[in-house]
Amino acid sequence: VLGEDFALGSLSGNILGPGTAAGEVHVDWPYSVIRNIPSDPIACQVTFCLDAFTKDNGPTEVTLHSQKERSHPDCEDVDGMLPVECAAGSLLIYNSLLHHRSGANATSGKRAAILFQALAKYVRPMENP
């Protein structure tokens, strides 16, 4: 998807327990610390959904096409955010500049995923730079 000039930048697990509140709207590393955002993509998120993502169990919520604005989100602005619902085993792939958050888990079960990030080779990873 990104080409040979990208490499694995991070790998982590994400579990939302029952009753977990929605997270803040954000962009991911390195965009979260860049003031002058480049026009070419430098980071991509990949979410491997271990469980189904439903509107009630804390799915990733996104503001469609927000990466095109090349801006940092207002953390309180949740109008227009849409839950990404998908089956267990699905992959969500998106530009790290997309405004997103974890939704609230209003169920009695956990929701788990594995998060990968691909970075342009010249960008330092957030962990163990």
Side-chain angles (χ1 to χ4, degrees), residues 10-17 45-54 57-61 84 86-94 100-103 105 109-117:
S10 68
L11 174 65
S12 62
N14 178 266
I15 299 173
L16 293 184
Q45 296 301 120
V46 178
T47 302
F48 175 51
C49 304
L50 298 175
D51 296 314
F53 276 35
T54 69
N57 73 350
T60 300
E61 296 179 349
V84 179
C86 57
S90 296
L91 288 178
L92 308 179
I93 302 172
Y94 54 94
H100 65 282
R101 70 176 184 171
S102 292
N105 185 349
K110 295 178 182 176
R111 192 276 290 146
I114 299 174
L115 309 177
F116 303 83
Q117 185 181 51

Side-chain angles (χ1 to χ4, degrees), residues 25 63 73-81:
V25 181
T63 302
D74 174 347
C75 296
E76 304 300 319
D77 185 9
V78 297
D79 291 338
M81 295 202 83

Side-chain angles (χ1 to χ4, degrees), residues 33-34 66 76 80 122:
V33 297
I34 296 174
S66 55
E76 304 300 319
Y122 62 85

Side-chain angles (χ1 to χ4, degrees), residues 65-76:
H65 309 293
S66 55
Q67 77 280 3
K68 294 178 182 179
E69 298 171 14
R70 293 179 34 218
S71 67
H72 295 114
D74 174 347
C75 296
E76 304 300 319

